[in-house]
Amino acid sequence: MAWRLLAKPFRLLGTTRAFSNTVDGGIKGPSMKTAVPGPKTKELIAEMDEITQSSMASVFVDFDKSKGNYLVDVDGNVILDTFCQISSLPLGYNHDAITEAVSKKENLMGLVNRSSIMMFPPKDFVQKMKSSLLMCAPPGMSQVTAMMCGSCANENAIKAAFIWYMDKKRGNANIGPDSEEFSTALYNKPPGCPDLSVLSFDGAFHGRTIGVLSATHSKPIHKLDIPAFDWPIAPFPQLKYPLEDHVTENKAEEQRCLQRVTELIDEYNAKQKFVAAAIIEPIQAEGGDNHASPEFFKGLRKICRDKGVAFIVDEVQTGVGTTGHMWAHEAWQLDDPPELVTFAKKMQLGGYYHTNDCKPRHSYRIFNTWMGDPARLALAEVIVKEIKENDLVKNAKEVGDVFLGGLKDLENKYPQLLLKARGSGTFCAIDCKTAAAKDTLVTAVRNKGVYVGVSGDCTIRFRPALIFQRQHAELTLEVIESVLKEL
Ligand code: PSZ
């Protein structure tokens, strides 16, 4: 049966900008024709299954018809999308500025002739890097290396950290590797391939390629059957909510985790599996939206500095405005920048910012065919410009505050069903009491026209675009509440 939400009048924030009314094109609200997945999606999934693994497919999308915050599926359902292609759509669907950029001849060249960027850079490469990735570089970081995806960004940031570590160990940057190092390197043996390690955290997600998978600990299924490195895994703070009622306990919990980090670095160094880097997400995303305080991260940064360990901040999911900061780690107000900060998703291409020290001194130490993508760089340029011109980071902060306030209200009203409303900017989440309750809620909300994401076992997570506004936040809350009332 058709189910339609009444178009709501726009209730806008004080800081409303020109994009407010036009962002979703003519779409005024969700409009559902079928349950999700609908019959057409189901048909296409069956067809898909004949050629590849199809069980991850959720809805087949009509990208032509989708606009702004609204995804339109092949069954004609118009769905408010708070998950946005796994948190990777910064400006929503079919944003005019992106469409315009794609149609510009100078940008089309990047699609027509894909360059091997670091060997054959396009003539405007330096200018494009400056007007995109470097235009929004984290404080204190002036170097950037482009890659393809998030996993690839982390793989290469870790390689950069290993090279940095060994250069330091050799003591003098001008002393290169010796012949034994070269001869053993080809056969996976030390000293050419040293037994270095990377410290990561329980519940972390840093990607699925073979190297970074050893730093990923969110779900066993991600790791099953794949050989892994023996690298140290520290506990990530398990904070109690509401935070304001558990200040002392949470502080002690964070101290416990930091203490364990120090011990693990000492243990691994003592057994000659030297810890070269520590990698961490500012908010653990896939692992269930786990937060820690700025003091925890400052403490971790200090341990890394004191122990000569590179500090890698994985901003693949938290980066590009969504937390109310361009980079989530800006909230920690570090005294010195991390050695490496990785990104992907909303930036449309992967890569990492790094300090000067982490720039390899020799060519071809970090390299691959494409090293990013000029076409995606052109999009990143537009995205960064739109974010700045429309104050979209501030928008994420303001709308996020309203949204989180609403989630907390729901938690207070339905304590038997919900707990742990948390977030930063629009990067918000709330837990259900059980995994089964989460599944029921998510499905019902989706069938009422709001797509929400999940993570961990019991968590509902929200990863809307940066153009998500107060009326979208209120609509999401209303739809969730309408389902909670029926549970
Ligand atoms: O199931 C998956 O493979 C998913 S679902 C969401 C992600 C992956 N996120 C990717 C991700 C990330 O969130 C963080 C913090 N670091 C690295 C990655 C890997 O990025 P991609 O998927 O681009 O390789």
Side-chain angles (χ1 to χ4, degrees):
M1 201 176 61
W3 192 92
R4 185 176 283 271
L5 254 171
L6 281 179
K8 286 176 59 73
F10 284 129
R11 267 176 285 162
L12 299 169
L13 283 175
T15 51
T16 298
R17 296 183 178 77
F19 68 83
S20 301
N21 293 304
T22 55
V23 73
D24 300 323
I27 302 175
K28 295 275 189 286
S31 160
M32 302 303 286
K33 294 195 162 63
T34 71
V36 178
K40 284 215 178 103
T41 277
K42 282 187 181 155
E43 221 173 87
L44 288 166
I45 288 176
E47 242 180 70
M48 181 177 169
D49 201 58
E50 287 168 18
I51 58 155
T52 189
Q53 159 59 267
S54 70
S55 60
M56 284 91 75
S58 176
V59 284
F60 270 78
V61 183
D62 189 334
F63 281 101
D64 268 356
K65 296 197 178 122
S66 302
K67 179 74 184 164
N69 291 280
Y70 288 91
L71 173 157
V72 179
D73 75 5
V74 287
D75 290 284
N77 296 308
V78 180
I79 304 170
L80 176 60
D81 189 358
T82 73
F83 192 46
C84 283
Q85 308 298 313
I86 324 185
S87 195
S88 69
L89 268 189
L91 305 177
Y93 295 97
N94 285 305
H95 192 282
D96 294 344
I98 303 239
T99 312
E100 196 185 310
V102 168
S103 58
K104 273 194 192 152
K105 179 113 193 285
E106 62 181 272
N107 293 333
L108 274 173
M109 278 297 102
L111 281 173
V112 176
N113 311 287
R114 183 161 190 180
S115 94
S116 168
I117 288 184
M118 295 305 261
M119 235 177 141
F120 303 99
K123 62 185 177 197
D124 60 353
F125 173 62
V126 176
Q127 176 261 312
K128 276 272 191 278
M129 289 286 269
K130 284 185 178 167
S131 59
S132 56
L133 305 180
L134 287 170
M135 186 60 87
C136 61
M141 306 190 88
S142 62
Q143 303 284 309
V144 67
T145 300
M147 288 288 160
M148 297 299 300
C149 63
S151 300
C152 179
N154 284 335
E155 292 283 350
N156 284 281
I158 288 172
K159 272 185 65 181
F162 286 149
I163 294 169
W164 167 86
Y165 187 87
M166 291 308 290
D167 264 359
K168 273 196 310 161
K169 202 166 179 184
R170 288 189 189 99
N172 177 340
N174 294 318
I175 301 176
D178 61 26
S179 60
E180 197 198 353
E181 288 178 289
F182 275 122
S183 62
T184 50
L186 272 186
Y187 297 98
N188 304 343
K189 296 275 189 288
C193 295
D195 211 356
L196 302 179
S197 63
V198 177
L199 181 137
S200 56
F201 288 82
D202 256 330
F205 187 97
H206 298 294
R208 290 173 179 261
T209 46
I210 292 175
V212 288
L213 200 52
S214 288
T216 287
H217 317 287
S218 49
K219 288 204 172 125
I221 192 72
H222 297 340
K223 298 172 69 80
L224 194 69
D225 298 336
I226 317 295
F229 290 111
D230 169 19
W231 287 352
I233 307 163
F236 190 86
Q238 301 293 304
L239 301 188
K240 294 217 166 97
Y241 286 80
L243 293 178
E244 54 279 14
D245 296 347
H246 299 91
V247 175
T248 316
E249 281 160 280
N250 286 342
K251 206 169 171 189
E253 167 66 356
E254 292 192 332
Q255 277 312 315
R256 179 186 74 88
C257 295
L258 288 177
Q259 179 60 32
R260 197 61 201 124
V261 168
T262 306
E263 288 164 7
L264 279 167
I265 294 174
D266 291 345
E267 275 169 34
Y268 272 71
N269 285 349
K271 61 177 179 176
Q272 310 277 300
K273 286 178 176 273
F274 301 99
V275 182
I279 185 164
I280 194 161
E281 297 153 87
I283 301 167
Q284 284 192 337
E286 297 311 299
D289 275 50
N290 305 318
H291 292 244
S293 73
E295 287 67 38
F296 170 78
F297 289 103
K298 274 189 187 153
L300 181 62
R301 207 290 165 256
K302 181 171 181 329
I303 294 171
C304 288
R305 195 190 309 113
D306 293 350
K307 300 266 178 203
V309 169
F311 184 42
I312 309 178
V313 180
D314 177 348
E315 293 252 23
V316 167
Q317 194 155 159
T318 51
V320 194
T322 171
T323 66
H325 296 273
M326 189 65 191
W327 302 103
H329 77 269
E330 287 174 50
W332 311 336
Q333 307 218 318
L334 296 176
D335 295 330
D336 51 345
E339 270 71 31
L340 299 128
V341 174
T342 62
F343 59 83
K345 290 204 188 258
K346 287 192 172 59
M347 198 62 99
Q348 305 301 294
L349 75 167
Y352 57 94
Y353 297 99
H354 53 97
T355 58
N356 257 324
D357 285 356
C358 290
K359 182 184 206 157
R361 287 172 303 110
H362 302 108
S363 51
Y364 294 109
R365 305 253 7 226
I366 300 231
F367 185 74
N368 60 41
T369 307
W370 284 327
M371 302 283 291
D373 177 354
R376 301 285 156 186
L377 205 53
L379 300 191
E381 183 184 36
V382 176
I383 289 160
V384 171
K385 188 162 170 269
E386 283 293 314
I387 289 175
K388 285 192 187 288
E389 282 180 2
N390 292 297
D391 242 341
L392 294 182
V393 178
K394 193 170 168 214
N395 182 66
K397 164 100 186 68
E398 291 174 350
V399 174
D401 286 349
V402 171
F403 190 48
L404 183 58
L407 288 174
K408 285 184 176 164
D409 289 346
L410 287 180
E411 179 186 339
N412 290 334
K413 230 165 143 182
Y414 301 91
Q416 73 286 10
L417 295 168
L418 299 175
L419 66 160
K420 285 174 70 175
R422 57 205 182 276
S424 179
T426 54
F427 198 107
C428 291
I430 192 160
D431 281 12
C432 294
K433 280 272 161 77
T434 63
K438 173 212 62 182
D439 291 341
T440 308
L441 183 61
V442 166
T443 306
V445 166
R446 191 171 299 173
N447 286 332
K448 287 191 170 195
V450 178
Y451 199 105
V452 298
V454 294
S455 64
D457 294 325
C458 301
T459 303
I460 297 180
R461 61 167 158 168
F462 305 92
R463 299 289 186 272
L466 302 172
I467 53 164
F468 193 69
Q469 294 167 260
R470 187 177 182 138
Q471 73 267 20
H472 304 112
E474 287 173 347
L475 188 61
T476 304
L477 294 164
E478 266 170 48
V479 170
I480 293 174
E481 178 156 24
S482 73
V483 173
L484 289 170
K485 275 185 189 152
E486 291 162 11
L487 284 182

